[in-house]
Amino acid sequence: MRLIRQMAAMAAALIVSAPLAAQAFPTRPVKLIVNLAAGGPADLMARVFAEHLHGRIGQPVIVEPLPGANGLIGAQALARADPDGHTLLFTVENVVTINPLIQDKLPFDPRKELDPFSLVGTFEQVLVVNPGKGVRTLPELVSKARSQPMTYASAGIGSPGHLAFLAFAQRAGISATHVPYKGGAPAVTDLLGGQVDVGFIVIGGVRHHLQSGKLMALATSGKDRSPELAGVPTLSEAGYPGFQITYAYFAMLPDGATEQVRRYWQDSFREMLADPKVVERLKTFDTRVINGDAADARSWIEQSSSRWKAALAGQKLD
């Protein structure tokens, strides 16, 4: 099937020899799949992209949230789409860096059937706790985890929050029971209600709860302090030197897209992500824009996959 699609794409490319940019492309509305929950940071960022790209390409860009299965449902929809350039995917890296490591039987091969053409940017998370738990600092959390049972929330098995806490627990020498949810929002709801103790959450998902005092930030996962949470130390500053966890956002095409199609979208995203207005809007979702090309995307995927493979060696994910 993959070979047939590739041959069809090559045949289509031969029909017209003029450069793609000089042709009427796209020829119809573009679908931008988001494999994460509607209303979340990725979905809202995709809508910023849709607004900007519409003005550049002269066609509507329709955002279609297809969450579920740790991003695999939306990613598989892209893999099955026609590689003619009218269907794209905006995704977090775990689809290609983590899922292949933690699931024995995937419905498709994301490393082969997805074609990343843009490394959009990175994001970090914040470790939060309900103030009613009696923990005010990261050392206090670690001490408590060593003396009594503790639970941590995440958006699901293999999600960024799950892997972040697992990696931190390894480094800190603690254990806690994982409580996976079907998305970040219900995880935050139970953190607020005290049904679960702690969790690594995307900053934008808990910002107003931190401001209101309903949740407390213990540390952020990035290399540097978050501009949004300047008073919160990084994990490195809080007692774990050199320890950091950062995730990436990618834009992708289905495997089999022609080089002309790939270059068209790579150039389109590069122009968009160089726009100061777009950069400022993405900052509101705690995204640090990188604006990398296909080579940058592939390099990130290889390095991140290697790091997670080492971190997950011998670990049971549940």
Side-chain angles (χ1 to χ4, degrees):
M1 178 63 71
R2 180 167 167 244
L3 179 59
I4 293 174
R5 287 170 49 197
Q6 290 176 323
M7 291 175 66
M10 291 173 64
L14 292 173
I15 292 175
V16 181
S17 59
L20 188 64
Q23 302 173 35
F25 179 85
T27 59
R28 61 181 186 275
V30 173
K31 181 189 296 184
L32 178 56
I33 297 171
V34 181
N35 58 350
L36 298 162
D43 178 57
L44 297 176
M45 289 169 61
R47 296 179 191 280
V48 172
F49 300 159
E51 177 186 330
H52 182 93
L53 290 170
H54 172 61
R56 184 183 193 276
I57 69 178
Q59 290 284 354
V61 179
I62 302 167
V63 176
E64 181 177 356
L66 290 176
N70 202 26
L72 286 172
I73 291 177
Q76 186 175 22
L78 179 78
R80 290 176 173 174
D82 191 323
D84 64 357
H86 289 86
T87 306
L88 311 175
L89 172 70
F90 181 56
T91 180
V92 174
E93 68 168 81
N94 60 299
V95 167
V96 286
T97 62
I98 296 172
N99 282 348
L101 298 175
I102 66 174
Q103 298 195 36
D104 294 330
K105 295 182 180 180
L106 292 173
F108 70 109
D109 189 338
R111 296 290 295 273
K112 293 181 179 179
E113 297 182 51
L114 304 179
D115 184 2
F117 63 84
S118 173
L119 171 55
V120 173
T122 61
F123 69 95
E124 56 204 35
Q125 296 182 305
V126 57
L127 182 61
V128 298
V129 62
N130 187 303
K133 299 296 181 178
V135 172
R136 294 291 181 272
T137 66
L138 192 60
E140 288 179 1
L141 175 74
V142 172
S143 177
K144 186 173 183 178
R146 287 173 176 166
S147 62
Q148 57 187 276
M150 181 170 289
T151 57
Y152 70 98
S154 84
I157 295 175
S159 67
H162 179 198
L163 275 295
F165 195 93
L166 184 67
F168 170 69
Q170 289 178 331
R171 176 69 181 268
I174 61 173
S175 62
T177 299
H178 180 215
V179 183
Y181 292 83
K182 294 182 179 180
V188 172
T189 296
D190 276 9
L191 281 165
L192 289 167
Q195 287 88 349
V196 66
D197 295 320
V198 299
F200 275 103
I201 306 292
V202 177
I203 294 172
V206 292
R207 185 187 295 108
H208 60 290
H209 298 308
L210 296 175
Q211 293 171 341
S212 68
K214 293 180 180 179
L215 290 175
M216 178 173 293
L218 301 181
T220 55
S221 69
K223 178 182 179 181
D224 302 310
R225 292 197 180 197
S226 166
E228 299 292 324
L229 300 173
V232 178
T234 64
L235 290 169
S236 183
E237 292 174 324
Y240 301 89
F243 185 66
Q244 59 177 294
I245 304 172
T246 303
Y247 296 95
Y249 287 114
F250 298 102
M252 299 183 172
L253 283 159
D255 179 55
T258 67
E259 180 59 31
Q260 288 177 314
V261 165
R262 187 183 300 108
R263 185 164 297 177
Y264 177 90
W265 283 116
Q266 183 171 275
D267 291 346
S268 296
F269 267 71
R270 270 195 157 182
E271 178 189 85
M272 175 179 65
L273 296 171
D275 186 328
K277 293 181 180 179
V278 173
V279 173
E280 286 303 312
R281 292 184 69 180
L282 297 186
K283 283 183 180 178
T284 66
F285 305 116
D286 307 294
T287 298
R288 302 181 190 229
V289 173
I290 292 181
N291 198 4
D293 60 14
D296 296 320
R298 290 289 182 187
S299 177
W300 180 284
I301 289 169
E302 291 302 322
Q303 293 180 33
S304 184
S305 296
S306 296
R307 287 196 300 270
W308 284 117
K309 184 176 182 179
L312 294 172
Q315 290 296 314
K316 181 180 179 182
L317 297 188
D318 53 26

